[in-house]
Amino acid sequence: MKQLLLIDKQEQALRVSRVVDGMKAASTDAVLLADNASKYYLTGRVYAGYIYVTVNGDVTCFVQRPVELDGPEVVYIRKPEELPSVIRDIPSRLGLELDIMSYSNVGRLKAIFPDSEIDNASTVMRRAREIKTPAEIALISESGVRQERVYRRVPHLYREGMTDIELQVEIERVSRLEGCLGQFRISGDSMELFMANIITGDNADAPSPYDFAMGGAGMSPSLPVGANGSEIKPGYTVMVDVNGNYTGYMTDMTRVYSLGEICDEAKKAHECSCRIHRELTEAGRPGTEAKALYERAIEIVTEEGLRHLFMGHRQHARFIGHGVGIEINELPVIAPRSRDIIRPGQVIALEPKFVIPGVGAVGVENTYVVTENGWECLTNAPEDITGLR
Amino acid sequence: MKQLLLIDKQEQALRVSRVVDGMKAASTDAVLLADNASKYYLTGRVYAGYIYVTVNGDVTCFVQRPVELDGPEVVYIRKPEELPSVIRDIPSRLGLELDIMSYSNVGRLKAIFPDSEIDNASTVMRRAREIKTPAEIALISESGVRQERVYRRVPHLYREGMTDIELQVEIERVSRLEGCLGQFRISGDSMELFMANIITGDNADAPSPYDFAMGGAGMSPSLPVGANGSEIKPGYTVMVDVNGNYTGYMTDMTRVYSLGEICDEAKKAHECSCRIHRELTEAGRPGTEAKALYERAIEIVTEEGLRHLFMGHRQHARFIGHGVGIEINELPVIAPRSRDIIRPGQVIALEPKFVIPGVGAVGVENTYVVTENGWECLTNAPEDITGLR
C-alpha cells in the first residue's frame, strides 16, 4: 500500500484552508472535485475519483484507481452512485466544478444528490490556487531553474539549414532529458499546444485559433499553432516558448534568437518588451489592478509607435500576462477587462510580445512571483536576442 | 483569405450525412458543436467557434478565431450570444455535446436558445465518427506507415545503461522527425499521457489511475503513468506504445523489445497475444458483437493459464481494444459490457497485453480497418519480441 497523500499534512491544511475560505464566502457546504488539477493541488497526487472537502475542512478522497492507495482520508468507491452512502452529512449546498465538468457528469452527480443545491466550485478553486504557498513556489522555482538550463543550450542546438520544427524537436529532446514532464496542462479543453511554440519569419504572423499570445500556422490543420516547417533564414528571429513543466508546477518563459543581423524595428520592439517588463514589475505592487498593468503596457507601446505590432499583427491577443502553476492559464489575468488585483503569492507569466512582419516575433516572457517587496523573477536566462551558433 | 474547408465538398457531404442520420434517429433538428474533434471531422480544420448542422444537411461555421477564414459556410461571430440573430430557423430540438461541453458552457447556450429543447449530440457524433470514410482510412493508413518506420528504428536507439525514459526521449525525437504531431487527442479530460507509454521491469506492474491498458508509475505523481526512470536490465522486456498521430488521424501500435534472454512465461504470453490477434481478427466478421471478441480473448487466456496476467496483474484493464481515429478512445469498445457491433469502416486498435511480474509487459497492439472481407492491419512491423541492439 502507498500513502495517497504526497504533500505534508500542514501543507495540505494550508491549501484546504484557502478552499474553505472560498466556500464560506460562497456559502457552500462542501465541494466534490473531479478535476485532476484539483486533486493534485489538494493531495500532491493525480488519481481517478473525487476529492471531497467540507466547509469544516474535512477531506475525503474517493478513489476509483489506482488500487492500493492508503491513508486515513481514503475511501475506495466503484462508481459515484455509492457516494451518498459514504458521505456522513449530505450537504445542502454542494459545489461542483461547473466550468470544467461536462454537463453529463454534472447531471449524473445531481441525480445522486437530488436534495443538494449545486454551486459552482470552479471560481473557489481558481481563487484558492491563485495564491501559491511557499511549497508551491519552491516547485515553480525549480522548474524555472531547469528551464533556464534548456534555454542556454538552444543556440548550440541550431544547425545550418534547420527548419523551425527541426530546431523544436532538438529543444524538446533536451527539455525532456532535463526532466520536463511534457504534459502541458491547460484548464478547459479548447486550447491545445504540443510542448512548444517556436516561430520564425512570416509564420509569426499566421493567426491561430487558440487563445495564446502568439500564433503560427502549425504543421497540420488539426493542430494549427506554432512551427510550420519554415526554414530559419538570415534576418529572421526565432521565438522559443517551450513547456516548463518539470515538477507538476510550470514556469512559462520565452526567449528570442536570431540568425545573422536583424532589422532595427525588431531590435527596438524587443527593447520595448524589456522596458515593459521593467516598468510593470515595478508598478505591480500588491494592491494594483491587473488591468492597470495592461493599460500601462498599451501606453508604452503607443508611445513607442509599436502598438500595431503588439501581441500580434494580423490578429491580436487581448492579454499580456497570466497566472501559472499546475496549469498554464491560472489567475490573475493581465488583460483590459480583468478584475484581478495583484497580490503576494501570485505567480505571473508576463509576455509582452511583438510580431515583425517578414522577420518573426520578438519579446521576452518571464515568470515572476509577487512578494510584499516586489516581483521576483524565476526564469533568469539572458534576455537579449541571442545569435544562433 | 483562406478557405475554411480543407476537405472535399463531397467528403464533407458524406460525413455530414452520417451526422444527419444520427440526428434523424434522435429527432434532433440541429446540432451546435464546439469540440475541436467535431470541427476537424466536419471541415478538416480546427478553429475557435462552433459548427452548426441542421437535419437538412446545411452546415454553417461560426468562427471566432483565426481571422481571415473564408467560404460560403463561414459566419464570423464575437460571442455565442450573437447566434440567434444569425441562425435562420431556431431549432425546436438542439443537440449539444453534453458529454464533453462543460456544464457552464451548456448553461450559457441554453440561455441563448431558451425555446429549444436540448438533446445530447455526443452519441450522434461518436456514432458518426465510428465508421470511417475511405479518405479517413487513407489518413490513418498513412499514420500507420510512418509509425512502422519509427518502430523499426527502436532497437538502434538503445544504448547500454539506458533508462526507460531515456529510451523514450530518443523514440519521441525520431517520431517527431518522422512527422508525429505529438498531440495525443483523448475524448474527455480525465486521461492524460505524454507521447508514449514505455514500461520495463517491475514498473509494468505499477497500477495507474488512468484508463489505459497498461500502467506504469510515471516520472511524477502529477502524471502517474508510463516510464518511471527504471534502468533497462538483462531479462527485462520493454513495451513501447507510442503516439501515432501523424496526420490528425492516429494509429495505435505496441511492440515489445527485450534485453538479453527473457523467461519462458513472457515468451508464452507474447505468443498468446499473437494468437488472440489471429483468432479475433478472424472471428470479428461484420455483425459480430464486440463483447463476443472480448469473451473469446478471455477463453484463450484462461485456456493457456494466463488470465491472472492478462491486461495487468495487480490492476486489470477492462477492455482489450478500442476504436481510433481523430481521438484515441473512439467506438467501438472491445469490452465485456460493450453493446457495439463490428461493422465495415471501423478502425480498431486491438491490444491484448500481459504483465509478467519482475520482467515487464508483453503483447502486440495493432490497428486494423474492418472491411466486408475481414480485418486489414495498418501497423505492419514485425510482431516478435525484438532484441535491443
Side-chain angles (χ1 to χ4, degrees), chain B residues 5-36:
Chain B
L5 193 63
L6 290 179
I7 52 177
D8 287 351
K9 260 285 174 202
Q10 277 163 308
E11 175 68 17
Q12 187 189 39
L14 177 56
R15 298 185 193 181
V16 167
S17 74
R18 298 203 168 153
V19 176
V20 164
D21 287 347
M23 290 164 63
K24 282 180 180 163
S27 301
T28 297
D29 299 314
V31 292
L32 183 68
L33 311 169
D35 187 35
N36 285 340

Side-chain angles (χ1 to χ4, degrees), chain B residues 132-324:
Chain B
K132 274 67 180 174
T133 69
E136 289 184 289
I137 291 166
L139 289 170
I140 298 171
S141 299
E142 171 64 22
S143 280
V145 168
R146 298 214 236 163
Q147 207 178 6
E148 274 171 55
R149 285 191 205 130
V150 169
Y151 275 89
R152 287 175 194 273
R153 291 186 61 182
V154 168
H156 309 288
L157 298 173
Y158 174 75
R159 299 283 171 268
E160 202 178 321
M162 258 187 175
T163 62
D164 51 5
I165 188 71
E166 287 167 346
L167 179 61
Q168 176 169 340
V169 171
E170 302 309 328
I171 296 172
E172 289 173 4
R173 177 175 175 273
V174 299
S175 296
R176 293 281 284 151
L177 291 174
E178 187 60 49
C180 181
L181 298 170
Q183 197 71 10
F184 187 71
R185 280 215 177 86
I186 306 175
S187 183
D189 54 5
S190 60
M191 292 218 291
E192 304 169 307
L193 178 69
F194 184 71
M195 273 296 273
N197 191 344
I198 293 185
I199 45 181
T200 192
D202 284 329
N203 187 43
D205 206 11
S208 139
Y210 301 105
D211 194 16
F212 293 116
M214 291 286 113
M219 298 298 294
S220 160
S222 76
L223 189 66
V225 62
N228 73 338
S230 296
E231 190 183 329
I232 298 166
K233 291 185 181 163
Y236 281 6
T237 61
V238 182
M239 173 171 275
V240 176
D241 183 355
V242 65
N243 187 325
N245 179 11
Y246 290 83
T247 62
Y249 282 82
M250 288 183 265
T251 38
D252 202 357
M253 178 175 182
T254 300
R255 291 294 183 271
V256 176
Y257 304 85
S258 68
L259 193 59
E261 194 60 23
I262 56 165
C263 67
D264 288 342
E265 188 174 39
K267 288 180 194 167
K268 180 185 172 188
H270 192 78
E271 264 311 302
C272 181
S273 172
C274 295
R275 176 184 165 196
I276 293 170
H277 275 274
R278 284 192 305 271
E279 293 206 17
L280 266 50
T281 55
E282 193 59 40
R285 279 172 291 274
T288 307
E289 289 181 316
K291 70 174 179 196
L293 297 181
Y294 182 86
E295 286 157 8
R296 180 65 195 131
I298 295 296
E299 279 173 21
I300 294 171
V301 297
T302 305
E303 181 189 313
E304 298 209 16
L306 292 167
R307 181 157 184 185
H308 60 298
L309 306 175
F310 190 50
M311 301 310 289
H313 170 238
R314 289 198 293 172
Q315 179 173 294
H316 296 261
R318 286 179 228 105
F319 66 94
I320 59 163
H322 53 87
V324 58

Side-chain angles (χ1 to χ4, degrees), chain A residues 147-165:
Chain A
Q147 207 177 9
E148 276 172 54
R149 284 190 207 132
V150 169
Y151 275 90
R152 288 175 193 272
R153 292 187 59 182
V154 169
H156 309 287
L157 298 174
Y158 174 76
R159 299 285 171 267
E160 201 178 321
M162 257 189 175
T163 62
D164 50 6
I165 189 73

Side-chain angles (χ1 to χ4, degrees), chain A residues 145-213:
Chain A
V145 169
R146 298 216 235 163
Q147 207 177 9
E148 276 172 54
R149 284 190 207 132
V150 169
Y151 275 90
R152 288 175 193 272
R153 292 187 59 182
V154 169
H156 309 287
L157 298 174
Y158 174 76
R159 299 285 171 267
E160 201 178 321
M162 257 189 175
T163 62
D164 50 6
I165 189 73
E166 287 167 345
L167 179 60
Q168 177 168 338
V169 170
E170 302 308 327
I171 296 171
E172 288 173 5
R173 177 174 175 275
V174 299
S175 296
R176 294 281 283 151
L177 291 174
E178 187 60 49
C180 181
L181 299 170
Q183 198 71 8
F184 187 71
R185 280 217 176 85
I186 307 175
S187 181
D189 54 5
S190 59
M191 291 218 291
E192 303 168 307
L193 178 68
F194 183 71
M195 272 295 274
N197 190 344
I198 292 186
I199 45 181
T200 192
D202 284 330
N203 187 43
D205 206 10
S208 139
Y210 302 104
D211 195 16
F212 293 116

Side-chain angles (χ1 to χ4, degrees), chain B residues 365-385:
Chain B
E365 177 173 26
N366 280 323
T367 298
Y368 301 92
V369 54
V370 179
T371 76
E372 292 288 359
N373 305 317
W375 295 35
E376 230 173 74
C377 185
L378 304 177
T379 47
N380 290 297
E383 297 183 356
D384 292 342
I385 297 177

